[in-house]
Amino acid sequence: MVLSADVSDVILTDEPDWPDEAVQAVVVISDPASRLERQLVAGWMARHQPPATNVEVIEIPPSRRRKKRHEIDPRLAARLNRGDNPIILPMRVVWLAAEHRGRRSLRARDFLSLRDPRDPDVITQQVTLRTNPDRARLISGAAATAAELRSQWQESVEVMPIDEFVSRRAWLALERSERHLRGTRYKIPKFVHEEILRRGEFKDGLAEIAPQLGRPVDQMLRKSGRYLKEIAASHSPFVIDLVASGIRFIYRQGYGSINYDTTQFQDLYHLGNQHPLVFLPSHKSNLDHLVLQYSLWENDLPPNHTAGGINMNFFPVGPLIRRTGVFFIRRSFKDNPTYKFVLRSYIEYLIEKRFPLEWYLEGGRSRTGKMLPPRYGMLAYVADAISNGKSDDVYLIPTAITYDHIQEVGSYAAEQRGEGKEKESATWLVKTIRSLRNRYGNIHLRFGEPVSMAKELDIGLSGEERQVDVAKIAFEVMLRINRVTPITPTSLATVALLAAGDHALTREELAAHLGELVDRVAERDLPSTEPLAVLKSDQGIDDVMGALAEHGIVTIHSTGPEQVFQIVADQHLAAAFYRNTIIHFFLNSAIAEVALAAAAESGGGDVEAFWSEVAAMRDMLKFEFFFAERAEFQEEIHQELALFDPEWADAISQGADSINKLLRSITPLSAPWALRSFVEAYLVVAEELEERPADEVWDEEACLECALGRGEQYRRQRRLRASESVSKSLFTNALKLAANRDLLDSQSPDLAERRKAFAAELRMAVRRLTYLETIDRERRNHD
């Protein structure tokens, strides 16, 4: 094709037809970024315009050149105010990326040039139209009458001139049409600052705050604009693609693939077209957000607006990820009502416009492998958005991200021992990427059943009652994440190894324990990353032990008459991380087993005593795990024991021998390996409190330091069966339990006696775990 200076005679691929309704007066609103684009629009009109139609073309500032200052053509306002009712038809020229492997996506050379082929300069447009005209497309947005737009303008919550309002509606209509060509992965907001700051309700909200701060509203509006600029994401399609390519490069350094079910993404796509979505992932690695972000991009879902800590806003990471959808939040702003109001307004705006959100309910990464207690602040903003009528419903998406192995597990173990956390920086980022050069297996992404906020939330509640309601919803999300977290071969292997303590296992012993665990998982139909029966084979054991040995967690001794496997001396916390990712699946059984041991200890005969012990263990562990509501929890305990004996309650009534027989039928017992590290850690703290003067001024950090020292002493003396009990996180939760029982306040009555009772309770729990270990060992020896 040879082009002349005028390209209006060029016919583009898949040109739109003239709208059927546009038969009389028509105003074509186009946003050309060049003379060439203007000519392409004019050529289309000349070919398609009906003879009797009166058409006027008015240009608005181009969407791809918003950084440059462009004034809206004054003819638009004049035309809208003329009094007739023309059809408003938005038109735009779109440039596509070159097709590569069946997909129009950016290539490495595009990234290296830092030029987006979908936003070409004038010369590139000429060359593209000559050499690859299929990359140029003309699109039309949904047409509307001037009367319809005028009515929408009058009802709008934003305060702006009508020509600006119509220009925005034209832009947005064209963006929707353009997404049909480019994909939903580029569904991003366009006018965040303008639409929030110009709302009457926003200014009214500032007016309510102003008297508290003694500042004029105009000054607060300017400050709000600065806060919004600090917080809000600023998407760029080019950077979205650039970062997606970078994510794939990064994760492929250490991982083979991200495994997921594509039908789940299809379901989320359809749900997201109807309602706002909030993705709430588990948080175990710095890769978590990148994994979800890439998976959404790969499946053509819109990018999430992701809440990030201000600590991640360092160069060059901060400016880059902000343009992919991350918005940054200060660590603390409770004493800044203006900042809080701006953040709340931003969240409500995104929900109203159905842009997906993402944050970590846990707040930070789990250093122990199990999920952390949820934080409710952002979820409370979502609840307020529903109450304020911003959306009829919001669906929370429980998201489980699981790794065969995690690169950070060594640093997590160090922090558990009391060492400091490395500060995020550019140097830290480079070190993190370099450390991925080892092989870590695969990554597994699963979505739980969505939670409907409208169904779960009582919008009539406020204050403390609303906080309780939001907390229940958060716990439900955490439970659903746990339910879909898949069991990995690594996690089961660490269960078997940690159950042995410092004892090395022969291949036969390891295979026997793994076989029982695999059967237990199969009986309960628990989720897994792959068929776990592979662990019943020598090759499967060699593979999983070899990977653990490669990462320095397991040592394999092969020079003796039997090959033995053992946790490396200082790696119990690292191994416990993997074990703890699946511990929730065995928690109810473990609690029931301890309650059965207590019942056997008392001679049996009293089922109510069993339930009392179940409640006591649930209370002891409430700062570690998420439990269902009390009635549902008791039903779960009943169902767990019914797997082994449907008449288990009769066994308790018949006495200690019958209870012990029931315990021997549970293969393998879960309590010894699932609960010992937690109970022993709590005992360390309890004995530290027991020996402290009751009238001393409380200092939590000093107590934690002493507990770490005491725990290490006990470990060296082998007074602790589980070396992973010496954990700062576990000690911190033990102090939360002590505070809950009013054992830290020096003014509390009978403090010394109640601290002794606390320690005695935990010693009793440890004795029962030892009793259960004995039963399990005797059963194995008998078998």
Side-chain angles (χ1 to χ4, degrees):
M1 178 193 298
V2 178
L3 294 179
S4 61
D6 188 347
V7 298
S8 58
D9 59 337
V10 175
I11 301 176
L12 299 181
T13 302
D14 296 331
E15 285 190 347
D17 295 326
W18 190 269
D20 292 337
E21 66 271 26
V23 294
Q24 296 179 351
V26 177
V27 177
V28 173
I29 296 183
S30 67
D31 64 345
S34 68
R35 184 169 63 91
L36 181 145
E37 292 184 5
R38 188 175 297 113
Q39 291 174 354
L40 289 173
V41 172
W44 173 84
M45 289 173 55
R47 288 188 297 276
H48 294 272
Q49 176 184 339
T53 303
N54 179 23
V55 179
E56 185 176 356
V57 179
I58 299 178
E59 295 180 1
I60 59 176
S63 61
R64 299 196 305 274
R65 299 288 185 271
R66 289 190 62 217
K67 287 186 177 179
K68 297 181 180 180
R69 183 172 180 81
H70 290 273
E71 299 294 338
I72 298 176
D73 190 331
R75 292 185 301 147
L76 179 57
R79 185 67 186 83
L80 292 169
N81 292 322
R82 189 177 297 177
D84 57 348
N85 191 27
I87 295 291
I88 309 298
L89 177 62
M91 300 295 300
R92 172 184 294 171
V93 175
V94 174
W95 301 90
L96 303 177
E99 191 168 3
H100 179 61
R101 295 178 181 175
R103 189 160 106 182
R104 294 191 179 276
S105 58
L106 301 191
R107 304 167 78 172
R109 66 188 182 195
D110 299 321
F111 298 135
L112 292 174
S113 68
L114 295 179
R115 296 175 65 180
D116 191 342
R118 298 163 304 192
D119 183 13
D121 57 32
V122 175
I123 295 176
T124 305
Q125 289 180 3
Q126 292 273 3
V127 172
T128 300
L129 202 57
R130 179 180 297 111
T131 61
N132 198 350
D134 185 56
R135 288 178 51 195
R137 304 292 178 89
L138 192 65
I139 63 170
S140 62
T145 66
E148 290 171 338
L149 291 170
R150 188 175 294 107
S151 176
Q152 293 172 13
W153 170 63
Q154 292 169 345
E155 295 173 1
S156 174
V157 296
E158 303 164 47
V159 180
M160 69 179 78
I162 189 171
D163 57 343
E164 184 175 347
F165 177 85
V166 171
S167 294
R168 290 220 194 137
R169 286 297 179 270
W171 269 325
L172 294 174
L174 290 167
E175 287 295 317
R176 285 190 287 271
S177 296
E178 189 171 336
R179 283 202 297 272
H180 289 298
L181 285 174
R182 291 191 178 184
T184 311
R185 62 172 61 90
Y186 306 112
K187 180 187 176 183
I188 55 179
K190 282 287 186 181
F191 306 104
V192 176
H193 292 75
E194 298 92 333
E195 292 189 353
I196 291 178
L197 297 176
R198 287 186 174 182
R199 291 187 171 200
E201 63 181 6
F202 184 84
K203 295 178 180 179
D204 292 342
L206 289 179
E208 292 180 10
I209 300 173
Q212 305 173 25
L213 303 177
R215 294 176 182 170
V217 174
D218 288 346
Q219 180 183 348
M220 292 186 63
L221 187 60
R222 290 192 296 272
K223 196 173 191 66
S224 296
R226 292 194 293 271
Y227 283 153
L228 188 57
K229 184 177 180 180
E230 174 188 321
I231 293 170
S234 54
H235 295 77
S236 160
F238 178 74
V239 176
I240 288 172
D241 286 345
L242 171 64
V243 170
S245 179
I247 291 172
R248 187 179 191 281
F249 171 79
I250 289 172
Y251 90 73
R252 291 282 292 173
Q253 297 298 298
Y255 293 95
S257 63
I258 302 174
N259 298 329
Y260 53 73
D261 181 354
T262 55
T263 60
Q264 288 196 310
F265 282 98
Q266 295 167 10
D267 293 341
L268 290 173
Y269 174 83
H270 294 301
L271 185 62
N273 282 337
Q274 302 298 320
H275 303 282
L277 305 183
V278 176
F279 290 81
L280 299 173
S282 57
H283 197 17
K284 306 237 176 0
S285 169
N286 280 312
L287 286 177
D288 289 337
H289 169 63
L290 303 184
V291 168
L292 182 55
Q293 178 180 341
Y294 181 79
S295 300
L296 292 169
W297 180 90
E298 192 172 42
N299 287 273
D300 196 28
L301 266 71
N304 290 341
H305 287 70
T306 305
I310 200 72
N311 60 306
M312 292 300 293
N313 191 17
F314 60 86
F315 183 84
V317 173
L320 196 64
I321 63 176
R322 185 189 291 275
R323 296 180 73 77
T324 67
V326 174
F327 62 95
F328 295 104
I329 302 177
R330 297 180 181 181
R331 288 189 176 275
S332 177
F333 49 86
K334 62 181 180 180
D335 296 326
N336 189 336
T338 309
Y339 182 94
K340 187 184 300 185
F341 175 72
V342 172
L343 176 60
R344 185 190 302 272
S345 300
Y346 180 59
I347 299 300
E348 290 189 352
Y349 169 82
L350 295 175
I351 288 172
E352 179 184 359
K353 301 298 183 181
R354 288 211 310 269
F355 289 108
L357 284 156
E358 174 192 339
W359 68 83
Y360 301 112
L361 265 182
E362 300 169 89
R365 287 173 291 158
S366 168
R367 267 63 174 177
T368 63
K370 64 182 185 60
M371 295 192 71
L372 302 174
R375 299 182 181 181
Y376 314 122
M378 292 284 287
L379 196 57
Y381 287 169
V382 175
D384 290 343
I386 294 176
S387 297
N388 294 336
K390 300 301 181 183
S391 179
D392 293 335
D393 201 356
V394 176
Y395 277 86
L396 310 179
I397 311 301
T399 306
I401 304 174
T402 305
Y403 303 80
D404 288 338
H405 292 269
I406 285 187
Q407 171 264 337
E408 301 104 317
V409 73
S411 63
Y412 293 167
E415 289 181 43
Q416 295 308 294
R417 292 191 291 268
E419 299 178 23
K421 172 181 175 288
E422 185 176 1
K423 185 178 179 181
E424 290 85 357
S425 64
T427 303
W428 163 85
L429 177 63
V430 172
K431 286 170 58 179
T432 299
I433 294 175
R434 284 179 176 173
S435 67
L436 284 170
R437 291 174 181 172
N438 295 322
R439 302 307 301 168
Y440 293 95
N442 293 320
I443 306 171
H444 311 276
L445 180 61
R446 303 285 189 274
F447 298 107
E449 181 184 354
V451 177
S452 165
M453 287 282 285
K455 292 180 181 178
E456 301 292 336
L457 183 71
D458 186 343
I459 62 174
L461 299 179
S462 60
E464 291 186 5
E465 290 181 321
R466 165 58 65 85
Q467 293 175 12
V468 172
D469 209 26
V470 169
K472 288 180 179 179
I473 295 172
F475 273 82
E476 180 61 29
V477 171
M478 304 300 250
L479 286 171
R480 295 189 188 191
I481 293 174
N482 274 340
R483 287 177 193 143
V484 297
T485 298
I487 297 172
T488 66
T490 301
S491 59
L492 274 193
T494 53
V495 167
L497 292 166
L498 287 167
D502 293 329
H503 173 69
L505 293 176
T506 66
R507 178 179 289 272
E508 182 181 2
E509 291 171 331
L510 179 60
H513 198 170
L514 285 174
E516 291 179 347
L517 289 168
V518 169
D519 290 343
R520 184 78 174 273
V521 169
E523 288 169 4
R524 296 179 57 196
D525 194 26
L526 299 177
S528 62
T529 58
E530 59 188 273
L532 296 175
V534 68
L535 292 176
K536 291 187 174 184
S537 68
D538 284 341
Q539 185 61 53
I541 290 175
D542 286 340
D543 289 345
V544 72
M545 289 297 116
L548 284 166
E550 180 182 345
H551 293 290
I553 295 175
V554 167
T555 180
I556 304 174
H557 181 74
S558 303
T559 58
E562 291 185 279
Q563 187 180 50
V564 294
F565 307 89
Q566 186 179 27
I567 301 290
V568 174
D570 61 347
Q571 292 297 311
H572 289 79
L573 285 168
F577 181 94
Y578 296 111
R579 177 201 65 191
N580 290 347
T581 61
I582 64 169
I583 201 169
H584 54 277
F585 287 122
F586 303 90
L587 182 61
N588 288 346
S589 180
I591 289 176
E593 292 160 17
V594 173
L596 288 172
E601 189 178 81
S602 64
D606 187 356
V607 176
E608 287 304 315
F610 165 84
W611 286 116
S612 178
E613 185 62 26
V614 165
M617 290 301 298
R618 184 180 191 269
D619 183 76
M620 180 187 295
L621 299 168
K622 64 186 176 183
F623 291 102
E624 298 289 351
F625 302 104
F626 306 103
F627 296 102
E629 294 290 339
R630 195 166 299 275
E632 183 182 351
F633 173 68
Q634 288 193 350
E635 179 59 23
E636 290 174 352
I637 293 289
H638 169 75
Q639 294 297 334
E640 190 71 41
L641 290 178
L643 291 173
F644 303 97
D645 184 354
E647 307 301 328
W648 62 268
D650 292 342
I652 294 176
S653 301
Q654 292 167 13
D657 290 343
S658 180
I659 295 172
N660 287 330
K661 182 179 179 181
L662 172 59
L663 284 169
R664 291 188 189 95
S665 72
I666 301 175
T667 55
L669 288 172
S670 300
W673 64 262
L675 299 184
R676 181 174 280 277
S677 60
F678 299 95
V679 175
E680 285 188 343
Y682 281 32
L683 178 58
V684 170
V685 170
E687 291 188 344
E688 178 65 30
L689 292 174
E690 186 180 29
E691 295 183 15
R692 282 177 172 264
D695 58 352
E696 75 170 354
V697 177
W698 176 246
D699 185 336
E700 181 171 330
E701 285 301 317
C703 184
L704 280 174
E705 287 297 320
C706 290
L708 285 168
R710 180 184 292 268
E712 180 60 20
Q713 173 194 322
Y714 285 6
R715 188 189 69 81
R716 291 170 182 267
Q717 294 175 317
R718 302 206 170 181
R719 293 169 63 178
L720 298 178
R721 177 78 168 76
S723 295
E724 67 272 20
S725 301
V726 185
S727 160
K728 189 173 183 179
S729 287
L730 299 189
F731 292 163
T732 299
N733 286 343
L735 287 177
K736 289 179 182 177
L737 178 63
N740 180 256
R741 297 189 179 187
D742 196 21
L743 297 176
L744 304 183
D745 185 1
S746 60
Q747 303 301 314
S748 180
D750 305 321
L751 183 59
E753 289 76 9
R754 290 189 295 107
R755 284 180 173 179
K756 287 180 180 179
F758 183 48
E761 176 188 353
L762 287 159
R763 292 188 192 102
M764 179 65 73
V766 169
R767 283 198 295 272
R768 287 168 181 161
L769 291 173
T770 302
Y771 174 71
L772 291 168
E773 277 183 351
T774 301
I775 289 179
D776 209 35
R777 185 169 55 251
E778 289 175 349
R779 178 192 58 79
R780 291 178 191 278
N781 292 336
H782 181 268
D783 293 344

